[in-house]
Amino acid sequence: MGSYSNFNSNNNNSSNNSDNNFISSEYDIKKIPYSLDAEQSVLGAVLISPEIYEEIAETLSVDDFYLDNHREIYDSITNLYLKNRSLDLVTLLEDIVSKSSRSGSGDAIRNSTKEYLMRLSDNVPVIANIKEYAAIVKEKSLRRKLISISHEMIKMAHEDASNSDIIIDRAAQMIFALAQGRITQDFVHVRNILVDVFANVHNLQTDKEAARGLSSGFSGIDNVLVGMNPGNLILIGARPGMGKTAFALNIAINAAAKKKTVAFFQLEMAKEEIVSRLLASEAFVDGFKLKAGVLSVEDWTKITEAGSRISECDIYIDDTPSMTVTGMKAKLRRLKKLDLVVIDHLQLMQTDRANGNRVQEISEISRNLKIMAKELNVPVITCAQLSRGPESRDDKRPMLSDLRESGAIEQDADVVMFLYRDDYYKESVEKHNRAEIIFAKNRHGAIGKVEVGFEKKFTRFYDIDEVHKEQ
């Protein structure tokens, strides 16, 4: 591909590269993974055929290039693309020179830059192979990040103040993020993020279903939330007996029925009991009859058919009591695919280090659940027990102040919805077998309420498509 240009005087000094911020100075720089030929071939191919930039835009980012001058060139290519300007030798040269912070005379910088760009465009083996070249650049970038992570873990392990559980969780977190393609080791310029946003907007225009988050299976709820979005912490609060476990379970099976993978943490009941509830709900069989084993031939047919459908769903259930967020993350990372996490319920969780102050512990748990949702990039639903506040009011509908033990739950959650059934408190109500889903907080949309149906003997909520929104 030709000799290394003097285009950037820092080319031979890798200390300026964010990929190597954590790489020990003892590590032999000659062994750091990168491919000069692949990086030059990617940039040269885009210079010759600018339209193929879109083929690699989602694969590569600026920090995937090892050499400083290559980062600078790719950054300018991205800049021209976002401004919808023509990309050629002249426009790229002007953009690079205008942003250059290198010392030296303007003419010298311009000449060396022009010479190097011309060399890039003259030495591309095969333009059609740009995806293969990009894959090599990406692979080398991942290997450099693995080296960085390894050195950071060694550094943490040598520090006496670091708890081993924290080190292990941090290592797993970074490896998982790297595998998901979401690790960053430095600031990212907004223009590079815009490339991903533009690509996403384009996808939404062609696929309207992609514009919505994960469906709850209740049209009214989906209309308010616009689906359950990745990274969101969604809280379902209710007094005991309202059916919050059944509601969370219904959402889980609705998602799984649409080929989504769901992890369900049940901290209160045994896994056999939760599956029995699920079976009764899906088969429309009285849960008491199922538990007592008093089933008709018709009931047996229903539960057999329901069991067959449920067995095809990707639902993973864990009934370990007193689970910690660290333990949850360790188990969730082992799943090859994950779309939704459901936890029943928050107040039964424990912290890694109990301090005797339950308010502080619940605050730590809720904060860590929000962090977990972002790390795993999936919606996390957690049920929560409410205080006795509603019992002392004439209107027993829950409010945010009824969240037990910590206001941090309200702060950390993206969505807080309360489950309320009027017929739980009163026999003579206008509408039996109805429940209200009250949206007390919705960080990305409106608040209000949605009405759904409820069949207690089946422990099943169902969609009646009646939505009442408040501005």
Side-chain angles (χ1 to χ4, degrees):
M1 291 297 297
S3 62
Y4 202 59
S5 171
N6 65 351
F7 165 48
N8 190 324
S9 60
N10 291 325
N11 279 332
N12 293 313
N13 182 3
S14 65
S15 63
N16 292 329
N17 290 320
S18 63
D19 270 338
N20 303 309
N21 283 346
F22 299 110
I23 295 180
S24 168
S25 59
E26 297 176 1
Y27 190 86
D28 187 350
I29 193 171
K30 294 180 181 179
K31 294 181 181 179
I32 293 175
Y34 84 97
S35 171
L36 175 64
D37 289 347
E39 290 191 9
Q40 290 180 325
S41 296
V42 167
L43 299 174
V46 174
L47 258 174
I48 297 171
S49 300
E51 67 279 359
I52 65 176
Y53 169 74
E54 293 185 346
E55 295 183 20
I56 61 167
E58 292 186 30
T59 302
L60 293 181
S61 61
V62 170
D63 68 349
D64 287 323
F65 290 86
Y66 174 67
L67 300 174
D68 287 340
N69 63 337
H70 292 168
R71 290 169 181 252
E72 197 171 350
I73 294 169
Y74 195 76
D75 185 63
S76 286
I77 290 172
T78 301
N79 189 40
L80 292 172
Y81 171 78
L82 291 173
K83 291 179 178 179
N84 201 26
R85 291 176 54 191
S86 298
L87 173 61
D88 54 36
L89 182 63
V90 175
T91 58
L92 184 58
L93 177 62
E94 288 301 316
D95 192 80
I96 293 171
V97 172
S98 68
K99 294 188 302 179
S100 177
S101 59
R102 285 170 285 133
S103 60
S105 68
D107 288 342
I109 293 172
R110 180 180 295 274
N111 290 337
S112 64
T113 304
K114 182 178 180 179
E115 178 186 348
Y116 192 64
L117 293 177
M118 291 176 66
R119 185 184 306 162
L120 287 176
S121 58
D122 288 341
N123 291 281
V124 180
V126 182
I127 295 175
N129 291 341
I130 187 170
K131 287 187 176 180
E132 283 75 9
Y133 306 147
I136 295 172
V137 173
K138 190 70 176 182
E139 169 66 17
K140 301 297 183 182
S141 174
L142 289 173
R143 288 175 181 268
R144 293 196 301 274
K145 289 182 172 71
L146 279 171
I147 292 170
S148 298
I149 291 170
S150 300
H151 279 278
E152 185 170 349
M153 292 306 103
I154 292 171
K155 180 181 177 182
M156 289 182 68
H158 280 293
E159 294 174 354
D160 293 336
S162 298
N163 182 286
S164 58
D165 290 337
I166 295 174
I167 297 173
I168 292 169
D169 182 59
R170 175 63 176 157
Q173 173 186 328
M174 294 180 72
I175 294 294
F176 182 80
L178 182 61
Q180 298 296 309
R182 290 183 286 106
I183 192 169
T184 56
Q185 294 181 350
D186 210 339
F187 287 114
V188 179
H189 195 284
V190 67
R191 75 169 63 92
N192 301 316
I193 303 172
L194 277 171
V195 173
D196 295 332
V197 173
F198 281 177
N200 184 55
V201 171
H202 176 72
N203 290 337
L204 297 183
Q205 285 183 316
T206 56
D207 183 3
K208 296 301 180 184
E209 282 299 313
R212 304 176 71 90
L214 182 66
S215 173
S216 67
F218 298 90
S219 60
I221 293 174
D222 290 342
N223 287 336
V224 175
L225 295 181
V226 195
M228 299 178 293
N229 295 296
N232 278 6
L233 177 61
I234 301 168
L235 186 138
I236 301 172
R239 287 291 294 151
M242 282 290 172
K244 59 183 178 294
T245 299
F247 183 56
L249 198 57
N250 288 166
I251 292 176
I253 191 64
N254 289 342
K258 294 188 176 181
K259 306 301 181 184
K260 304 298 182 181
T261 301
V262 181
F264 197 104
F265 290 96
Q266 176 49 249
L267 283 72
E268 191 171 23
M269 306 177 193
K271 55 184 177 292
E272 291 81 8
E273 186 176 355
I274 204 71
V275 171
S276 293
R277 282 193 173 206
L278 182 58
L279 195 58
S281 176
E282 287 299 295
F284 293 94
V285 169
D286 190 320
F288 177 79
K289 289 184 178 180
L290 184 61
K291 188 175 182 180
V294 185
L295 299 172
S296 65
V297 174
E298 183 182 0
D299 290 336
W300 268 109
T301 301
K302 288 180 179 179
I303 64 171
T304 301
E305 292 175 351
S308 178
R309 293 194 303 272
I310 294 170
S311 68
E312 297 299 317
C313 294
D314 276 339
I315 300 181
Y316 297 88
I317 299 173
D318 188 293
D319 62 353
T320 306
S322 304
M323 178 71 76
T324 65
V325 177
T326 301
M328 284 184 178
K329 287 198 292 186
K331 292 184 177 185
L332 291 169
R333 288 177 185 133
R334 292 199 290 267
L335 294 177
K336 294 181 179 179
K337 180 176 179 288
L338 182 65
D339 299 294
L340 175 65
V341 177
V342 182
I343 303 163
D344 184 29
H345 61 80
L346 184 145
Q347 281 93 348
L348 292 176
M349 294 184 64
Q350 299 295 322
T351 58
D352 291 301
R353 292 176 300 278
N355 60 16
N357 187 324
R358 193 54 182 164
V359 172
Q360 291 181 5
E361 290 176 1
I362 292 295
S363 297
E364 181 183 342
I365 291 168
S366 67
R367 182 170 61 253
N368 288 336
L369 285 177
K370 173 57 183 174
I371 293 171
M372 184 179 80
K374 288 188 67 177
E375 287 178 6
L376 300 177
N377 199 36
V378 298
V380 173
I381 296 174
T382 181
C383 299
Q385 201 84 272
L386 300 183
S387 69
R388 297 180 183 274
E391 313 298 325
S392 61
R393 298 192 296 264
D394 291 336
D395 185 350
K396 302 188 184 302
R397 287 173 175 81
M399 302 185 299
L400 287 171
S401 58
D402 297 323
L403 288 170
R404 284 179 57 185
E405 296 174 309
S406 176
I409 301 174
E410 173 191 346
Q411 177 183 325
D412 295 324
D414 296 280
V415 176
V416 177
M417 47 184 173
F418 294 127
L419 187 60
Y420 173 76
R421 292 190 291 114
D422 212 22
D423 60 4
Y424 180 84
Y425 293 103
K426 311 170 193 172
E427 285 294 331
S428 56
V429 293
E430 184 180 340
K431 294 181 179 179
H432 279 280
N433 299 327
R434 294 292 172 92
E436 294 177 13
I437 310 300
I438 302 168
F439 290 87
K441 178 184 178 183
N442 185 5
R443 186 165 285 161
H444 307 294
I447 59 173
K449 65 180 180 180
V450 172
E451 198 169 87
V452 296
F454 177 64
E455 286 288 346
K456 185 176 181 180
K457 65 180 180 179
F458 302 144
T459 60
R460 181 184 182 93
F461 289 84
Y462 56 91
D463 196 355
I464 56 176
D465 203 21
E466 292 179 12
V467 183
H468 309 284
K469 288 185 183 177
E470 296 172 359
Q471 296 300 322

